[in-house]
Coordinates of all heavy atoms in Angstrom, one line a residue:
A527 N -6.1 37.3 -32.4 CA -7.1 36.6 -31.7 C -6.7 35.2 -31.3 O -7.1 34.8 -30.1 CB -8.4 36.6 -32.5
A528 N -6.1 34.5 -32.1 CA -5.6 33.1 -31.8 C -4.6 33.1 -30.6 O -4.8 32.3 -29.7 CB -5.0 32.5 -33.0
H529 N -3.6 34.1 -30.7 CA -2.7 34.1 -29.5 C -3.4 34.6 -28.3 O -3.1 34.1 -27.2 CB -1.6 35.1 -29.9 CG -0.8 34.9 -31.2 ND1 -0.2 33.7 -31.3 CD2 -0.5 35.6 -32.3 CE1 0.5 33.6 -32.4 NE2 0.2 34.9 -33.1
L530 N -4.3 35.5 -28.4 CA -5.0 36.0 -27.2 C -5.8 34.9 -26.6 O -6.0 34.7 -25.4 CB -5.9 37.2 -27.5 CG -6.4 38.1 -26.5 CD1 -5.2 38.6 -25.7 CD2 -7.1 39.2 -27.0
A531 N -6.5 34.1 -27.5 CA -7.4 33.0 -27.0 C -6.5 32.0 -26.2 O -6.9 31.5 -25.0 CB -8.0 32.2 -28.0
V532 N -5.3 31.7 -26.7 CA -4.4 30.7 -26.0 C -3.9 31.2 -24.7 O -3.8 30.5 -23.6 CB -3.2 30.2 -26.9 CG1 -2.1 29.5 -26.2 CG2 -3.7 29.5 -28.1
F533 N -3.5 32.5 -24.8 CA -3.1 33.2 -23.6 C -4.0 33.3 -22.4 O -3.7 32.8 -21.3 CB -2.6 34.6 -24.1 CG -2.6 35.6 -22.8 CD1 -1.6 35.5 -21.8 CD2 -3.5 36.7 -22.8 CE1 -1.6 36.4 -20.8 CE2 -3.5 37.6 -21.8 CZ -2.6 37.4 -20.8
L534 N -5.3 33.6 -22.8 CA -6.4 33.7 -21.7 C -6.6 32.2 -21.2 O -6.9 32.1 -19.9 CB -7.5 34.3 -22.4 CG -7.4 35.7 -22.6 CD1 -8.8 36.3 -23.3 CD2 -7.2 36.6 -21.4
L535 N -6.8 31.3 -22.0 CA -7.0 29.9 -21.6 C -6.0 29.4 -20.8 O -6.2 28.8 -19.6 CB -7.2 29.0 -22.8 CG -7.7 27.6 -22.5 CD1 -9.0 27.5 -21.9 CD2 -7.6 26.7 -23.9
F536 N -4.6 29.6 -21.1 CA -3.5 29.0 -20.3 C -3.4 29.8 -19.0 O -3.3 29.2 -17.9 CB -2.3 29.1 -21.1 CG -1.1 28.6 -20.5 CD1 -0.8 27.2 -20.3 CD2 -0.1 29.4 -19.9 CE1 0.3 26.7 -19.8 CE2 1.0 28.9 -19.2 CZ 1.2 27.5 -19.2
F537 N -3.2 31.1 -19.0 CA -2.9 31.8 -17.9 C -4.2 32.0 -17.0 O -4.0 32.1 -15.7 CB -2.5 33.2 -18.2 CG -0.9 33.3 -18.5 CD1 -0.5 33.2 -19.8 CD2 0.0 33.4 -17.5 CE1 0.9 33.2 -20.0 CE2 1.3 33.4 -17.7 CZ 1.8 33.3 -19.0
G538 N -5.4 32.0 -17.6 CA -6.5 32.1 -16.7 C -6.7 30.9 -15.7 O -6.9 31.0 -14.6
S539 N -6.6 29.6 -16.3 CA -6.6 28.5 -15.5 C -5.5 28.3 -14.5 O -5.6 27.9 -13.4 CB -6.7 27.2 -16.4 OG -5.7 27.1 -17.3
V540 N -4.1 28.7 -15.0 CA -3.1 28.6 -14.1 C -3.2 29.7 -12.9 O -2.9 29.3 -11.8 CB -1.9 28.9 -14.9 CG1 -0.6 29.2 -14.0 CG2 -1.4 27.8 -15.8
A541 N -3.7 30.9 -13.2 CA -4.0 31.8 -12.2 C -4.9 31.3 -11.2 O -4.7 31.5 -10.0 CB -4.3 33.1 -12.7
V542 N -6.0 30.8 -11.6 CA -7.0 30.3 -10.7 C -6.5 29.2 -9.8 O -6.8 29.0 -8.6 CB -8.3 29.7 -11.5 CG1 -9.2 29.0 -10.5 CG2 -9.0 30.9 -12.2
M543 N -5.6 28.2 -10.3 CA -5.1 27.2 -9.6 C -3.9 27.6 -8.6 O -3.9 27.2 -7.5 CB -4.5 26.1 -10.6 CG -3.8 24.9 -10.0 SD -4.9 24.0 -8.9 CE -5.6 22.8 -10.1
Y544 N -3.0 28.5 -9.1 CA -1.9 28.8 -8.3 C -1.7 30.2 -7.8 O -0.8 30.4 -7.0 CB -0.6 28.6 -9.3 CG -0.5 27.2 -9.8 CD1 -0.7 26.8 -11.0 CD2 -0.2 26.1 -8.8 CE1 -0.6 25.5 -11.5 CE2 0.0 24.8 -9.2 CZ -0.2 24.5 -10.5 OH -0.1 23.2 -11.0
L545 N -2.7 31.1 -7.9 CA -2.7 32.3 -7.2 C -3.9 32.4 -6.2 O -4.4 33.4 -5.8 CB -3.0 33.4 -8.3 CG -1.9 33.6 -9.4 CD1 -2.1 34.8 -10.2 CD2 -0.4 33.8 -8.7
R546 N -4.2 31.2 -5.7 CA -5.3 31.1 -4.7 C -4.8 31.4 -3.3 O -5.6 31.8 -2.4 CB -6.0 29.8 -4.7 CG -5.0 28.7 -4.2 CD -5.8 27.3 -4.1 NE -5.5 26.4 -5.2 CZ -6.1 25.2 -5.2 NH1 -6.9 24.9 -4.3 NH2 -5.8 24.3 -6.2

Side-chain angles (χ1 to χ4, degrees):
H529 299 304
L530 199 55
V532 173
F533 157 65
L534 291 174
L535 184 63
F536 180 80
F537 275 96
S539 54
V540 166
V542 172
M543 177 63 87
Y544 296 110
L545 296 183
R546 65 172 105 178

